[in-house]
Amino acid sequence: MTAVFREGRAWVYAMFAAIVLSASLGGLSQTGLNAMLSQVCSEFGISTGVGQWLATIYMFVIGAIVPLSSFFMGRFRTKDLVLLSAGLFIGGALLAACAPNFWMLLFARIMQACATGLLMPLTQTFSMTRFPEGRKATAMGISGIAMGFAPNIGPTIGGSMVDAFGWRSFFWMLAGIALAIALACAFLVQRHDDASYPAGIDPISFVLCTTGFGGILMACSYASSYAVLDPHVWGPAVVGVATLVAFFLRQTRIERPMVDPSIFKSRSFNAGFAALCLLTASFMGITLLVPLYIQGLCGGTAFEAGIVLLPGTVTALVMNPLAGYLTDKIGVRPVTVVAGLFLATGSAMMAFCDASTSLGVVACIQAIRQIGVSSLIGPLTSFSLSQLKGKCISDGSGFGLAARQTSASVGTALMVFCLEGAGLAGEMSFHAAFGVSAVCAIGCLLVILRRVR
């Protein structure tokens, strides 16, 4: 079949659509299983603490893959990279749908996370390099659908499907949609020779980076089962921090660093980086926590848990592109300050919810939070990358996403620790878990007030 979209603006829009839609499926898969976690754990006879690895391993693998984004974007053409990730994602979805045990499902999640990790930095780099000034924040807001809207609608879709057709149906659906996107991209979008620069990879840097982020994640995950002073907790934490320090030192000494350390000379990158890490830690764990709260403490169903998140999810679909558009028109500070206030207010209110709180009130609070989340992702991301040039854009995008995925894993693990490992019972454990989200949200707002201009 002759390609329809060959060059110019039409090619940019078509390729951008394929990237965003594919990355959105990754975000959908990342959180969709959260609403089904109780059923999965019951079917495979595992505890919630073990089952949470289906969520945390997804975030960790993304964090391990995205620092390699500069290498992949430098060596492979955009279309080839999209098709490669689609193949991985479809294979992982099919394997998950047929998984006979927990370990096979875990491996399937790793495959899907690898695919998502290839695409997430590409959405940001494509937005910053293929769109002109005055439209970059808008493009970043649209790409925020993959990081804001899709993860939030995941529990809603997952909850409705698990009640109606069983949890495996969710992965059959993902495989079918991903196949349709891949076929459209393969036959309708022209392949461009847009591998922009010769890229290499330093294996030692990759090992150090992966070990560093992985050690911190492992420490937080073990904190739900062991005391804080237990070697299972502090041992991986020390190794993680030490190897991350070694990673940064190595980047300053090798000719072709995996991540150019000059990105940290940018004040906007540092401010956006800190705010986004706190934002991600605040909201990603909520997609796991709310279903557990609705089904465990309130006695609701998986479908009701998804419905509670639905108003905020619909809000995200509107606010992601709108916040980007407003940023292009009036600047990043007013948009992010107002959004940060919504995030902090909603998160603080959620910390006071208990078993007697109506699901309608919880849904309204989640909508308030989601206005903040959705209005921050695109503007803060474009702000953080705005002063970077060339390869530094993909380096900043990749490393920023890796740190944010680890922040999400840490936030999720701390919330699970409050539920299972802190010795708190019932409502108090959920107050503490939601309190973790509120603290991170308030921290994000403070960074915005002090550093975003």
Side-chain angles (χ1 to χ4, degrees), residues 107-164:
F107 181 73
R109 297 283 286 171
I110 291 173
M111 288 181 64
Q112 290 185 300
C114 287
T116 305
L118 290 175
L119 284 176
M120 289 179 69
L122 185 58
T123 62
Q124 297 183 0
T125 302
F126 200 89
S127 299
M128 296 299 293
T129 57
R130 294 287 180 172
F131 288 84
E133 294 295 337
R135 294 184 182 177
K136 290 183 178 180
T138 302
M140 194 67 75
I142 294 172
S143 70
I145 291 173
M147 292 174 280
F149 172 73
N152 276 280
I153 201 174
T156 302
I157 295 176
S160 61
M161 295 192 72
V162 69
D163 284 342

Side-chain angles (χ1 to χ4, degrees), residues 355-376:
S356 64
T357 305
S358 72
L359 297 186
V361 171
V362 178
C364 289
I365 294 174
Q366 287 304 307
I368 293 172
R369 289 184 68 261
Q370 194 55 45
I371 289 174
V373 172
S374 304
S375 301
L376 286 173

Side-chain angles (χ1 to χ4, degrees), residues 69-219:
S69 58
S70 287
F71 169 75
F72 287 109
M73 282 184 260
R75 287 297 181 98
F76 296 95
R77 289 170 287 194
T78 302
K79 178 177 177 178
D80 294 336
L81 198 53
V82 171
L83 293 178
L84 172 63
S85 66
L88 271 174
F89 188 85
I90 293 168
L94 292 174
L95 185 60
C98 302
N101 54 54
F102 169 76
W103 298 109
M104 192 65 71
L105 179 58
L106 189 69
F107 181 73
R109 297 283 286 171
I110 291 173
M111 288 181 64
Q112 290 185 300
C114 287
T116 305
L118 290 175
L119 284 176
M120 289 179 69
L122 185 58
T123 62
Q124 297 183 0
T125 302
F126 200 89
S127 299
M128 296 299 293
T129 57
R130 294 287 180 172
F131 288 84
E133 294 295 337
R135 294 184 182 177
K136 290 183 178 180
T138 302
M140 194 67 75
I142 294 172
S143 70
I145 291 173
M147 292 174 280
F149 172 73
N152 276 280
I153 201 174
T156 302
I157 295 176
S160 61
M161 295 192 72
V162 69
D163 284 342
F165 308 109
W167 64 267
R168 295 177 188 272
S169 64
F170 178 71
F171 293 102
W172 288 113
M173 178 198 72
L174 290 179
I177 297 175
L179 180 60
I181 295 172
L183 290 174
C185 181
F187 292 110
L188 299 180
V189 182
Q190 177 69 44
R191 178 179 281 106
H192 278 204
D193 188 16
D194 57 353
S196 54
Y197 44 81
I201 183 171
D202 177 39
I204 296 177
S205 293
F206 176 69
V207 171
L208 289 174
C209 184
T210 303
T211 303
F213 287 128
I216 295 172
L217 168 63
M218 186 176 295

Side-chain angles (χ1 to χ4, degrees), residues 240-415:
V241 172
T243 50
L244 279 180
V245 171
F247 169 77
F248 282 113
L249 291 176
R250 182 168 178 80
Q251 303 317 292
T252 63
R253 297 173 181 174
I254 60 178
E255 182 179 355
R256 289 187 176 179
M258 182 174 166
V259 175
D260 191 334
S262 67
I263 61 175
F264 293 102
K265 295 179 181 179
S266 166
R267 295 183 65 181
S268 64
F269 178 79
N270 292 334
F273 175 83
L276 283 164
C277 284
L278 288 166
L279 172 65
T280 311
S282 173
F283 88 86
M284 284 303 294
I286 290 295
T287 60
L288 173 64
L289 192 59
V290 168
L292 293 176
Y293 164 74
I294 298 298
Q295 297 176 70
L297 189 64
C298 300
T301 65
F303 177 72
E304 288 174 326
I307 290 298
V308 164
L309 293 171
L310 185 58
T313 301
V314 174
T315 300
L317 184 61
V318 177
M319 295 307 301
N320 271 306
L322 178 59
Y325 174 80
L326 291 174
T327 299
D328 279 330
K329 296 300 181 182
I330 64 176
V332 67
R333 182 169 175 81
V335 174
T336 54
V337 168
V338 172
L341 288 171
F342 272 94
L343 172 69
T345 300
S347 299
M349 292 171 66
M350 194 66 202
F352 293 96
C353 291
D354 54 31
S356 64
T357 305
S358 72
L359 297 186
V361 171
V362 178
C364 289
I365 294 174
Q366 287 304 307
I368 293 172
R369 289 184 68 261
Q370 194 55 45
I371 289 174
V373 172
S374 304
S375 301
L376 286 173
I377 292 177
L380 283 177
T381 303
S382 60
F383 173 74
S384 69
L385 301 176
S386 60
Q387 295 180 356
L388 305 182
K389 305 295 181 183
K391 180 178 178 293
C392 286
I393 294 177
S394 59
D395 283 358
S397 174
F399 185 79
L401 280 167
R404 283 150 55 186
Q405 289 298 315
T406 302
S407 297
S409 300
V410 170
T412 301
L414 288 175
M415 292 176 196

Side-chain angles (χ1 to χ4, degrees), residues 221-245:
S221 297
Y222 279 147
S224 64
S225 303
Y226 298 92
V228 174
L229 297 180
D230 191 282
H232 286 87
V233 178
W234 63 259
V238 170
V239 171
V241 172
T243 50
L244 279 180
V245 171

